[in-house]
Every structure is written in structure tokens, then in C-alpha cells.
Amino acid sequence: MFEYAPAPESRDVVDIKPSYGLFIDGEFTDGAGTPFKTVNPATEEVLAEVATASQADVDRAVRAARKAFGAWSALPGSERAKYLFRIARIVQERSRELAVLETLDNGKPIREARDVDLPLVAAHFFYYAGWADKLGYAGYGPDPRPLGVAGQVIPWNFPLLMLAWKIAPALACGNTVVLKPAETTPLTALLFAEICRQAELPPGVVNIVTGAGETGAAVVNHPDVNKVAFTGSTEVGRIIARSVAGSAKKVTLELGGKAANIIFEDAAIDQAVEGIVNGIFFNQGHVCCAGSRLLVQESIAGDLMEALKRRLSMLRLGDPMDKNTDIGAINSAEQLARVRELSDIGEAEGAERWSPACALPERGFWFPPTIFSGVAQSHRIARDEVFGPVLAVLTFRTPAEAVEKANNTAYGLSAGVWTEKGSRILWMADRLRAGVVWANTFNKFDPASPFGGYKESGYGREGGRHGLEAYLDV
Amino acid sequence: MSKTERDAAKARTAKARAGKARAVKEPVTEMPVTEMPVEETPAAGGPVATALVAEAPLAQAPASGTVAPDVPAAGAGRESDGQRAGRLSVRKTYKLYIGGAFPRSESGRSYVVTSSTGGFLANASKASRKDARDAVSAARKAFAGWSGATPYNRGQILYRIAEMLESRRAQFAAELADAGTERAGEAVDAAIDRLVWYAGWSDKISAVAGSANPVAGPYFNISAPEPTGVVAVVAPDDPLLGLVSVVAPVIVTGNTCVVVASERAPLPSITLAEVLATSDLPGGVVNILTGSVKEIAPWLAAHMDVNAIDLTGVADEDLAVTCEQAAAENLKRVLRPSAPDWSADPGTRRMTAFLETKTVWHPTGL
């Protein structure tokens, strides 16, 4: 392996304040709850203290959103579009600052924050800006109406990107929002609040309330919220689905996954190896659609595993701010404990564990890229979402067996197929019960492409024309 | 002309029309009726297996047009019964419809169904939790075949259901009149027309609900709707038009379903099952349970192999909340209760509620 000189990104491009308040009605205000600290997971250094929104604070935010809804929804779509275009532009202008802040707060490699998250954030606002004055052409009637106030709760794996997925379509359709970022990654959302001010977005159209699960529950259960959008675990998704029962709230849920990445013997092996690595080690495996189950055709399993292990030995794990880093830090101590626990269970249940020789930094939350082979379908590492850099490898002989195994999960978010045979790709794509099928590629995202799951991976789609439906009264 | 006479006259015209339609040769062979082997009934054991034996072989169900329009063939115990020429009519036993067969409830229970004026009509089967589970198994088993059938084929079968319904127009008009439906003949006409309308959607919904997505990279990217899976449907009390209006949009896209029929007026649903059984609709695509909505709906809402639930016919608000909460356990898609005007243009909503969007990516390049 080549030695690389360190190539650290400068953290001076971002000015982190010692403490942050809530963003309600266009103003930063204090929260009534006990403030919490957000840390850099790569160093455990405290980055800032952040306000916790109480029930009363959430009330205030919902009231502000309700008040703003009338004028915002009455604006011509072309005017709403211009606000969203402004936001997209400011995101591009401040992209480096946002990327650095995201990496510091989340632990993901700066290369990914810079090259994946931020470009997609800007693209998402740009895309939905264009819809704001074309809703009558979207197939939902000549003049589809917004729902009202949207309560949105997002996860920590792609903090700003998930914010964009939620806020851009909501605003384009004429809704106003109260958004709660994850408690371990609130900083880019609060910087986004500043961007809303720079864009002169009318007060109350976007409100950001920070806090933990209790704050999220207050947002979701607020009686004056018309729409609930959640991305996160299936466990919390169930609680939300239960809590909105009997209400008139429209709900979209983007939940967990246990995607099968299926490699046929005729696949282009080098490309497939890159796809497997991208599928499970991108963003430390903190990806709901991660290809966490590798299904390899038996005839090539030996060669493929060898190539995969060789490739894993080249991955650079370490300082997320280094531009050469491939694998950053696990987002939190809590998540690290879960990854460790499930991996230990994997070993205890009889699967064979392998990681490349890989020194872990002393401070911070770290887990090496890990492969389990000899995995049975009944093993928990083949069934539970690990949400970490852990790959479970199974084999198959026939396409029918691959389909059977791939679909043998309560989830249905994504799947991957690698083969040079076109008809087989289409045959597989027809039968895989998953919302996104990547053929000869993996983990690709685009604002024009609908994303969302089957079965217990949730319901509703984000992205594309389909993503509008979640925010329209149709 | 009285209402009944009007209906009868309409039915005669309909019969003549149906006769002409039959003369037209079908260009494509329709899917054969797959009869559900009794032995393969899931969890078969003891009483269930016997309960599922259909007493009347499906093949002998009346063919289209053979039913005299003014004489209900398999007459219910309706009030006008048994008076014609001094002959005692042969009544029909109303049973469940599961996996293409007509079993009684495994529980052996029944309940009295009365006409709108309070007269005895029939002892309908009162389905149990076990019946509901059998119905879900049958629907799951039918899903791969039905969702894998070509849309053209599904469209023709829905159209065939309309044809079969038309040929039994008078029978349904009489049953609906017993159930208290006003302008029963018109209700049957509307139900037939609704089936024809949905039949045409089978190979068009993808064009409307799907898309080719212009992503910012060298990728082919396309989104298409797919059926959600097994859908539990609580049908509204409008016993034919309402029933057809909730079932047709679910199955036309490739879903299979378990229907809880109107509790008050379940008989037309079982007569509709006879229509379904003679329309080349594979067994198990539609399964119909009669009985207590309050008893069966929560089991279906909680069933882990049901993917979605349509609560349209749940009138009791508390029951609807209970069902929606139970449905959260495996994140079923839920269509909440509503009281639509069944005569209005239905739109695509009832189809899209039970569709998933699948997006497929592939790189482009040499």
C-alpha cells in the first residue's frame, strides 16, 4: 500500500459557535429543555452546546409555521421557486463550509461530504425549485394544494442531505415546515437556518427545533401538524405509524433496509468489487439502503472474496478531515456499541469474521471494515440492520435462489444486481421486492429519481415527480 | 311500469347484448382458473380441510346467459320465494370464497341476514380468525401468478368479470333490492361499467404512474409501479357498486386481496364470488369473507403477511383506529375510512394507494 502524506481539509472555513438556539419564526431563540452537547465523533471533542426544544417550544414553532402557511401557500409558484433557487445557490456558495461542518459533526470523510452530500443537497433544492410553478403538470390535477404544516424528523447519517430531501419538496408544494435534526448532528441544519435568513425566506416558513426523541415525538404528535415525514429506524417508524392512527395526518416513512447485493458469475468482477465496497462501506455503512448482504454465485465465491479482501486492505480508515480518507468515524458511542454487539452476535452464531489489518485511532468512535462469511439466513447479521461497516456474505446457485434469498427479509428498500446479461438484469429487477434496484452500480442518488421502500422499509417516495405527492393534498 | 318490471326489461336487453358479445372470438387465451388443491390448504389439519371442500364444483356454475333474467337461478330465501307454480324453490347456501373454493366457515358459525324489511334471507357464514388466515394464505399463494400475469391478461379478465356480471344482471338486481338498494338495476349497471373502466387501466397505469428519470449522470433510470402484495379490504355497505369499486382497483394492478364483505348485506358479495369464479380469475386473487367486521378486520390489520389495508368500509371510528394501530406493526399501507360517492369518477387514487414505485438504475456506456 502506498503511503500518502496527510492532506487535511482546514476547519477554519467554518465558524462554530459555542452554543446554538432553536430557529423559530425566523429568529434564533432559546429552548426550554436542558441543552445538549454535540461532539466530533472522530475525536470526541465537544463542538457546541445546542438547545433542546420542549413541548412549548415545538408549539411555538408549529404556530409560526401555521401563521406563515397562508401567505407562503398563496404565493405564486414562480415566487416560491425563486426562494428555493436562492437557497440552492447559497448552498453552492457555502458548500465547502457546509461540507466541513458536516464532517466535523458526523464523522464522515470530507471527500464524501464534499463530493456526494453537498452537490446532492444543492441539486435537490434546484430540482424542486423548478417544480414549484409546474405542479399542475405533475399529474395530480390542475391545481393541487399543499397540506399545511409539515413536521419532519431526520436521521444523523446524511444530516443536510436528508434536510434537503424533506424541506425542498415541502416548500415547493407550498407547505411550511418544522424540522427536527438528529441530536448527534444538529449543526448543519442550524447553519441552514442561517441560509434561510440570507435567502430572505419569510419567517416561519422553515423552523428548526433541536433535541432528542422527545422533541421529535412532540413534532410528530402535534395536533396542528398536517403532514409527518420521517427518515430513520423501522422501530421508530412503527411508533410513528401507530401514533398518527386515526388522525388526518399524511405520513411518509423512509426506514431501515437489509439490501442484497447480488453478484452473478458473469459479472465484471473488478467493477462488482468496487460496487460491493461502495455499497457497504460508503459513509461507514450508515446508509439505510446499504448493500449489507452480499449474495455471491457459488462458482465465483472464492475468487470474489479474495478480490474483495484485497480491496478492503487498501481502504484508508482515519481522520475524516483528511481528503484521502475512505472510512471515517462511527457517528456516536451508542451506534458503535450496536455495531459491536451485532458483530459479536455474528461471531457467536458461527459466522466467520474478517477485517483487514487496520489501526484504529485511539480517540473517537471507530470500527474496522468487517466481512462475515459462512452466514446463514437465520443469523442476525443477515436479518438485522447493523447500520455500520459490516457485510454479511451468503452464496447462491441459481437466479431463483438469489431472488428467494434477497426477498427473504422484512425490509425492501434497495437491491443490487451484477451481471453482464441484460435479460437477467431485467428478470431479477422484476422479482426483487425493493424500491430501488441498482444494476451494475450501487448507492447512486439523484433528485430526479424516486427513492423509498417496500414492506417494512416504509412508504412514500422522495425525489422525482413522485416525491411531490407526499406534500400535496391528493 | 313498476321498478321491478323496468329492471327485468333492462335485463332482457342486457341478455341480448351479452349474447352478441359472446359470439366475438377472444384473440388471446385467458388464464385458466386454477383450482386450489384442498390438500395444500395452509395449516390444513382436521376440520379445516373438510371445511374447504367446495360443495359445488366450480366448473358447473351457471355459464353466462343461461340464467333466465326474471328468475333468480340459485334463489336465496327471499320473501318472494317458493310461490311460483306451487313449486318449492331450491335455496342457495351462502358460504365464504377462499382460494377459488366456497367453504363454510371453519368455525361452523353462521348469522342471519335479513332483507331491508326484516324478512329472513339466508344464514350467511360467519368467518373466523382462522378463515381470515386461510384467506391470507390463499391470497399470498396467488400473488406471484397474478402479479406476474401480463397487464393485457389482467385487463381481459376484469372485462370478463364485467361480462359475467352483465349476464346475471337480474339476479343481482333482485338481491340488491332485497338488501334495500334503491334503483337496484342502475346500481348493477354502474358496477358493470366500473369494472370495464378499471379493466382498461391494467396496461395504462404504468404510463401514468411511472416515469423515465433524467438523472445527472450516465445512467438509464426508470420508475414503474408494482403491486403492493396482499391487500385486506373492508368493503363498504353499498353491497355491489361499493364492493366492486374497492376490489377492482386493488386487483387490476396485480395485488391479491382478502375482502370483508358488508356485514349488513353480505349476500351479493358471495353471488359476486360466483361471478369471479367463472371469469378466469385465478383462485385466491379475491377472497371474500362474510361475518362480523369488528371481529375479522383487526385480525387482518394485525396479520404480518398482509401488506396493506383498505379501511373504507369501517364505519366505527374506534375500530378504524384500532385497525390502523395494528397495521403499524408491519407498516402496512393504510387507506383510511371514507364515505365516497360511488357514482362519482373514482380517479386513480384507489389504484395508486396499493402500488409501490420501483426505480431501476443501470449505467450507460460502451
Side-chain angles (χ1 to χ4, degrees):
Chain A
M1 190 162 162
F2 295 114
E3 288 303 320
Y4 279 60
E9 171 61 281
S10 164
R11 65 176 287 172
D12 295 345
V13 294
V14 58
D15 176 25
I16 302 177
K17 297 181 194 123
S19 70
Y20 287 87
L22 315 171
F23 183 65
I24 295 176
D25 209 9
E27 302 292 336
F28 287 98
T29 77
D30 289 338
T34 314
F36 62 97
K37 293 178 168 61
T38 184
V39 304
N40 179 345
T43 60
E44 298 179 54
E45 162 208 5
V46 173
L47 293 170
E49 195 172 81
V50 181
T52 290
S54 66
Q55 177 74 52
D57 295 324
V58 171
D59 266 350
R60 217 152 39 93
V62 173
R63 269 202 307 279
R66 175 64 57 197
K67 196 175 78 192
F69 174 65
W72 180 249
S73 57
L75 269 187
S78 53
E79 293 299 298
R80 287 202 305 274
K82 285 193 279 183
Y83 280 110
L84 290 170
F85 281 126
R86 267 194 192 178
I87 290 172
R89 281 305 201 211
I90 298 174
V91 167
Q92 288 175 327
E93 288 155 13
R94 302 181 67 173
S95 150
R96 186 168 170 203
E97 181 186 354
L98 286 161
V100 168
L101 187 59
E102 195 76 306
T103 284
L104 290 172
D105 205 15
N106 170 278
K108 65 173 67 201
I110 185 67
R111 187 169 52 81
E112 290 178 8
R114 182 193 65 195
D115 296 348
V116 181
D117 295 55
L118 263 299
L120 281 172
V121 170
H124 221 83
F125 278 102
F126 211 88
Y127 177 82
Y128 278 106
W131 268 121
D133 54 359
K134 300 167 192 70
L135 297 173
Y137 298 92
Y140 303 108
D143 186 24
R145 304 310 306 158
L147 291 160
V149 176
Q152 308 176 317
V153 177
I154 58 170
W156 45 259
N157 58 342
F158 295 94
L160 193 63
L161 182 56
M162 291 300 104
L163 173 149
W165 281 27
K166 296 283 178 284
I167 291 184
L171 264 48
C173 292
N175 303 277
T176 55
V177 308
V178 176
L179 176 132
K180 188 197 89 73
E183 69 263 37
T184 61
T185 56
L187 296 185
T188 45
L190 294 165
L191 184 51
F192 180 81
E194 219 177 88
I195 290 174
C196 291
R197 299 230 302 197
Q198 278 191 338
E200 290 169 17
L201 192 71
V205 170
V206 168
N207 304 276
I208 312 272
V209 290
T210 44
E214 231 171 274
T215 306
V219 170
V220 167
N221 296 327
H222 198 288
D224 202 30
V225 159
N226 306 96
K227 155 79 192 174
V228 172
F230 172 75
T231 296
S233 71
T234 290
E235 190 190 343
V236 176
R238 269 191 249 284
I239 295 170
I240 292 174
R242 206 172 293 128
S243 71
V244 299
S247 75
K249 290 173 189 170
K250 192 167 183 171
V251 186
T252 43
L253 302 171
E254 203 269 87
L255 310 174
K258 192 76 192 175
N261 202 358
I262 305 164
I263 322 290
F264 283 96
E265 59 187 3
D266 68 339
I269 292 298
D270 290 347
Q271 287 167 35
V273 167
E274 290 308 306
I276 295 164
V277 170
N278 180 39
I280 184 62
F281 301 117
F282 169 60
N283 204 38
Q284 296 72 247
H286 299 329
V287 185
C288 45
C289 52
S292 53
R293 284 184 299 152
L294 178 65
L295 298 186
V296 193
Q297 199 154 23
E298 208 175 79
S299 50
I300 56 159
D303 292 349
L304 184 83
M305 291 308 289
E306 202 177 299
L308 181 61
K309 286 177 178 176
R310 202 163 48 233
R311 180 68 183 88
L312 286 198
S313 307
M314 307 287 173
L315 292 178
R316 285 156 200 281
L317 177 146
D319 182 6
M321 290 289 276
D322 191 314
K323 292 168 198 163
N324 292 322
T325 293
D326 296 308
I327 298 190
I330 301 296
N331 179 252
S332 64
E334 191 191 351
Q335 185 57 26
L336 178 60
R338 178 174 165 78
V339 175
R340 281 181 176 157
E341 186 198 346
L342 278 164
S343 299
D344 291 347
I345 290 171
E347 228 169 338
E349 286 185 338
E352 193 185 321
R353 181 176 183 160
W354 183 90
S355 291
C358 167
L360 301 182
E362 276 174 22
R363 290 187 62 76
F365 315 127
W366 301 94
F367 198 85
T370 299
I371 298 178
F372 280 99
S373 51
V375 176
Q377 293 195 79
S378 56
H379 287 171
R380 280 189 61 193
I381 45 166
R383 313 198 67 79
D384 292 9
E385 184 176 41
V386 180
F387 221 64
V390 178
L391 179 67
V393 185
L394 298 92
T395 58
F396 67 92
R397 288 184 179 176
T398 64
E401 188 189 349
V403 168
E404 182 74 30
K405 284 186 168 164
N407 289 339
N408 184 11
T409 166
Y411 298 113
L413 190 50
S414 66
V417 183
W418 298 80
T419 167
E420 288 298 281
K421 191 176 178 193
S423 60
R424 183 184 289 149
I425 288 172
L426 298 177
W427 189 90
M428 292 293 293
D430 266 355
R431 282 158 184 79
L432 292 167
R433 302 284 292 161
V436 183
V437 176
W438 285 293
N440 291 329
T441 183
F442 209 95
N443 271 346
K444 291 288 179 290
F445 308 94
D446 193 281
S449 177
F451 182 91
Y454 283 39
K455 301 195 279 185
E456 294 184 26
S457 289
Y459 34 75
R461 291 293 177 269
E462 295 182 287
R465 178 182 69 81
H466 295 76
L468 296 169
E469 188 186 341
Y471 292 98
L472 292 172
D473 187 14
V474 292
Chain B
M1 209 197 262
S2 78
K3 183 171 76 65
T4 330
E5 284 165 342
R6 250 194 337 266
D7 284 346
K10 255 190 183 171
R12 277 188 289 277
T13 331
K15 188 194 166 196
R17 274 206 307 271
K20 273 182 215 140
R22 276 197 314 281
V24 182
K25 234 183 163 190
E26 300 266 346
V28 170
T29 316
E30 287 174 9
M31 182 183 278
V33 178
T34 50
E35 287 182 48
M36 188 186 183
V38 172
E39 296 76 24
E40 284 181 36
T41 304
V48 188
T50 30
L52 272 174
V53 175
E55 286 185 3
L58 299 187
Q60 286 173 28
S64 65
T66 57
V67 179
D70 49 350
V71 185
R78 63 177 56 91
E79 290 153 317
S80 55
D81 252 13
Q83 294 163 9
R84 198 161 281 113
R87 178 181 174 272
L88 194 64
S89 66
V90 178
R91 286 179 178 174
K92 178 164 81 187
T93 304
Y94 286 87
K95 297 184 286 184
L96 308 175
Y97 182 54
I98 299 175
F102 290 87
R104 289 193 176 84
S105 169
E106 62 81 35
S107 66
R109 301 178 306 173
S110 64
Y111 73 110
V112 173
V113 178
T114 57
S115 72
S116 53
T117 54
F120 173 79
L121 287 178
N123 291 309
S125 288
K126 190 174 184 191
S128 64
R129 177 191 186 187
K130 181 72 171 72
D131 293 320
R133 290 164 62 181
D134 288 342
V136 172
S137 300
R140 174 60 63 197
K141 205 168 141 193
F143 179 68
W146 182 242
S147 60
T150 64
Y152 182 32
N153 185 229
R154 283 200 301 269
Q156 284 186 93
I157 289 173
L158 259 81
Y159 187 77
R160 181 76 175 159
I161 298 170
E163 289 178 344
M164 294 295 103
L165 195 51
E166 178 91 43
S167 70
R168 294 206 194 197
R169 186 181 179 284
Q171 181 188 4
F172 276 99
E175 278 196 12
L176 291 184
D178 283 341
T181 302
E182 288 174 21
R183 295 197 295 278
E186 285 172 34
V188 183
D189 293 342
I192 296 164
D193 292 351
R194 180 124 314 152
L195 278 161
V196 170
W197 189 77
Y198 274 117
W201 269 114
S202 66
D203 49 10
K204 293 159 196 79
I205 189 70
S206 277
V208 173
S211 56
N213 309 311
V215 296
Y219 295 95
F220 169 81
N221 182 297
I222 193 164
S223 295
E226 287 195 347
T228 295
V230 173
V231 182
V233 178
V234 181
D237 266 333
D238 185 324
L240 184 66
L241 178 56
L243 176 66
V244 163
S245 299
V246 293
V247 171
V250 168
I251 63 170
V252 69
T253 57
N255 294 292
T256 58
C257 64
V258 176
V259 183
V260 184
S262 160
E263 186 169 341
R264 184 180 59 74
L267 304 188
S269 74
I270 296 302
T271 307
L272 183 71
E274 294 164 12
V275 165
L276 301 175
T278 51
S279 299
D280 290 342
L281 186 75
V285 172
V286 176
N287 303 276
I288 300 177
L289 304 172
T290 56
S292 160
V293 170
K294 193 167 184 168
E295 181 190 345
I296 312 168
W299 290 127
L300 291 170
H303 197 297
M304 293 298 276
D305 203 26
V306 171
N307 300 102
I309 187 163
D310 177 356
L311 297 175
T312 298
V314 178
D316 175 345
E317 265 177 50
D318 291 342
L319 179 62
V321 173
T322 305
C323 287
E324 191 174 343
Q325 285 171 340
E329 191 52 31
N330 68 337
L331 294 153
K332 286 180 187 69
R333 288 76 176 117
V334 177
L335 194 57
R336 290 179 177 141
S338 60
D341 171 6
W342 297 115
S343 61
D345 174 359
T348 56
R349 180 77 192 112
R350 287 187 170 273
M351 288 183 285
T352 55
F354 304 113
L355 288 173
E356 306 292 326
T357 297
K358 178 184 279 176
T359 300
V360 180
W361 293 68
H362 195 279
T364 56
L366 291 172

